[in-house]
Amino acid sequence: MEKGQEMDRIRERFQHLERGQIIPIVVVALIVIMGISALILDGGMVMLSRRTAQAAADAGALAGARVFCSQGSPNNAAIESAVHHYTVVENEASGLIWQLTTENVGSTPGLVKGEVVVTVVMEEESFFAQIFNQDTLTTQATAGAGCFSYGYDGPIMPFMYPCNPPLGGSDSADCDYKTLSWQDVANAVSAAGCGVNVPITGNPTNAQAKCVNDALFSTYPSHVYIVMDNRKLCQGNYLDPKYENICKISEDGRYQVNSAQRGWMNLEDGNAGTARMRNWINGSRKVSASTHTWFSNIPGNRANPLFTEMEKRLFDVVWVPVVNHICSYKPTPGSGCWNQALAEFPLPPGGSGTVVDGQPGQYFFHVVGFAPFFPTCIRNNSNNCAGWNYTVSANPDLDGARYSLEGYFIRPDSLPGDSVGVGGVSLGSYIVSLTR
């Protein structure tokens, strides 16, 4: 009995000692739970704030670069306004720093004018961090966006547009041609009630097609460009002394004409038959081209089938090679014509020119870029194109061509989707891309 009582006393003593041991376990568990909660809540808030900060920085850099790239000279107030709107107003950034820089020009492929670099700061109220006197959680992110020369992404046409070097310095538009944006085109077509939307899908009726062409010409008459079949040069006061295949339609405007007689281009080695040229136009035969390539000319005696093929490309975006120099012989590195072409548009660091040895090889065109073109009318032995009718009335010397194509150059950064590549040389119009 005594032995049993002794065991009971020992058991009671141990139970008394064990009663307080749960307290430190609970304390440790609470600390762990609070730590996990702080990690989940405050850590999650930091991650979310970091993503928001990066999105704000990206948006601000892109917005600022769009303004910067569209300007001849930087307008810091306009750039800052765009950056501020997309960071502070739209994304509620609490801090903002931005700058213009040219540090990567020449090292980042395609980067031309420079970058807009934006750093944003985001502040959020903390939860458990307030226990440690940390009332706010601060994150920041940096992004940069720059001006890139654009490259082609679509069928290349076997005719070209001659380009003059810049007259107003490096910040001026390099080529003397006007562009429309897709919105410009859409507004004109909508206002005219043509019954189609831009970009145009499907095949518009003849009435709709005429409505689109007439609407664009009546709204933007100084932007029309015309390719003819058999007129090598313009006469009298309209002759361009440097490029015989480009003419001013009127002295008081910027209407210009490109003659296909000398302007057809052989985009591949060897002889180019009519079938091959038609395949270039319809896109079934792909051509790999780049800037600083010399293409040979093709006589314009195959105009009829080529203009007929071009009629299938009406209201599509096609790409026209832009050339700055014409050689009367096959150029070779170091030759006079080679050096003259590169003096206006130099090779990039480490770049080299290419000569496509097409036939007959009488003239070679130096390609410095590619321009998106929106063909709107084919004239085929009938005066049904608005631009052509004005052309002949303004300059009767241009009458006599049986076939013509007219259309409008489109500003590349306004094209829908990812339809513009990066690359090429500066032609005074740029696309914007993130750089950092």
Side-chain angles (χ1 to χ4, degrees):
M1 207 50 196
E2 290 181 0
K3 186 176 181 179
Q5 291 176 349
E6 182 64 24
M7 291 298 295
D8 290 339
R9 284 196 298 269
I10 294 173
R11 189 179 297 109
E12 288 176 1
R13 189 179 300 117
F14 274 105
Q15 289 176 347
H16 176 75
L17 293 174
E18 289 177 349
R19 283 180 193 145
Q21 291 182 1
I22 193 63
I23 296 176
I25 295 175
V26 171
V27 171
V28 171
L30 287 174
I31 294 174
V32 171
I33 292 172
M34 291 175 64
I36 294 175
S37 299
L39 180 62
I40 293 174
L41 294 176
D42 287 348
M45 183 63 68
V46 169
M47 293 179 63
L48 178 61
S49 180
R50 178 68 177 81
R51 286 195 295 269
T52 303
Q54 190 62 62
D58 291 348
L62 287 169
R66 288 190 187 97
V67 176
F68 171 51
C69 297
S70 65
Q71 297 173 340
S73 299
N75 182 329
N76 288 355
I79 297 172
E80 183 170 6
S81 176
V83 173
H84 182 272
H85 178 77
Y86 282 93
T87 55
V88 176
V89 177
E90 292 290 334
N91 287 286
E92 300 181 348
S94 54
L96 167 65
I97 301 174
W98 75 275
Q99 64 169 329
L100 290 176
T101 177
T102 58
E103 61 180 318
N104 290 321
V105 174
S107 60
T108 300
L111 183 64
V112 181
K113 291 182 65 177
E115 304 165 88
V116 175
V117 180
V118 175
T119 299
V120 300
V121 177
M122 306 293 291
E123 292 183 348
E124 303 288 345
E125 290 186 3
S126 65
F127 289 92
F128 285 95
Q130 296 183 23
I131 299 174
F132 306 101
N133 294 322
Q134 188 73 32
D135 295 330
T136 59
L137 302 172
T138 303
T139 57
Q140 73 175 40
T142 298
C147 314
F148 289 82
S149 298
Y150 58 89
Y152 75 94
D153 185 15
I156 301 176
M157 297 298 100
F159 57 87
M160 56 85 176
Y161 176 79
C163 153
N164 290 314
L167 299 177
S170 60
D171 287 335
S172 69
D174 288 355
C175 288
D176 185 26
Y177 68 91
K178 289 186 175 181
T179 59
L180 298 177
S181 69
W182 269 126
Q183 194 59 52
D184 294 331
V185 176
N187 290 343
V189 172
S190 176
C194 297
V196 293
N197 295 321
V198 176
I200 297 174
T201 58
N203 297 317
T205 64
N206 291 337
Q208 289 172 331
K210 186 177 187 308
C211 179
V212 170
N213 189 57
D214 291 348
L216 288 174
F217 182 77
S218 62
T219 308
Y220 304 105
S222 65
H223 291 65
V224 69
Y225 293 86
I226 301 175
V227 179
M228 300 182 298
D229 66 332
N230 61 358
R231 302 288 286 185
K232 283 189 177 181
L233 51 84
C234 298
Q235 304 295 320
N237 295 330
Y238 301 103
L239 172 64
D240 186 314
K242 186 173 183 180
Y243 298 116
E244 292 183 343
N245 56 352
I246 190 168
C247 313
K248 289 185 179 179
I249 298 174
S250 65
E251 288 299 323
D252 59 346
R254 293 185 57 185
Y255 311 87
Q256 295 172 330
V257 176
N258 175 25
S259 171
Q261 175 72 17
R262 185 169 289 177
W264 296 117
M265 303 179 71
N266 191 347
L267 303 178
E268 297 184 66
D269 289 330
N271 289 308
T274 301
R276 179 185 294 185
M277 296 180 70
R278 295 181 70 164
N279 289 338
W280 292 338
I281 293 173
N282 63 39
S284 62
R285 187 180 181 98
K286 303 298 182 183
V287 176
S288 178
S290 62
T291 57
H292 297 297
T293 296
W294 275 262
F295 288 118
S296 175
N297 78 300
I298 299 175
N301 55 2
R302 283 165 285 186
N304 187 357
L306 298 186
F307 279 95
T308 300
E309 198 67 33
M310 277 298 305
E311 195 164 12
K312 302 175 184 177
R313 300 311 303 263
L314 291 180
F315 310 115
D316 291 337
V317 173
V318 297
W319 290 81
V320 176
V322 179
V323 306
N324 77 311
H325 205 77
I326 301 174
C327 300
S328 59
Y329 56 88
K330 180 180 177 180
T332 56
S335 66
C337 186
W338 181 285
N339 292 337
Q340 290 175 20
L342 297 183
E344 296 175 348
F345 290 94
L347 289 169
S352 61
T354 302
V355 178
V356 177
D357 196 12
Q359 299 300 320
Q362 292 177 309
Y363 296 91
F364 285 83
F365 308 129
H366 177 232
V367 176
V368 295
F370 301 90
F373 187 71
F374 184 59
T376 59
C377 191
I378 296 289
R379 175 181 173 270
N380 190 346
N381 289 321
S382 62
N383 297 325
N384 59 347
C385 293
W388 174 260
N389 293 332
Y390 177 84
T391 299
V392 176
S393 65
N395 184 358
D397 292 324
L398 297 178
D399 197 8
R402 293 189 300 165
Y403 307 103
S404 67
L405 159 70
E406 65 188 57
Y408 301 81
F409 285 108
I410 303 298
R411 203 178 73 225
D413 62 339
S414 72
L415 290 172
D418 299 325
S419 55
V420 180
V422 173
V425 298
S426 171
L427 295 178
S429 184
Y430 309 99
I431 59 175
V432 175
S433 180
L434 288 172
T435 55
R436 62 181 83 183

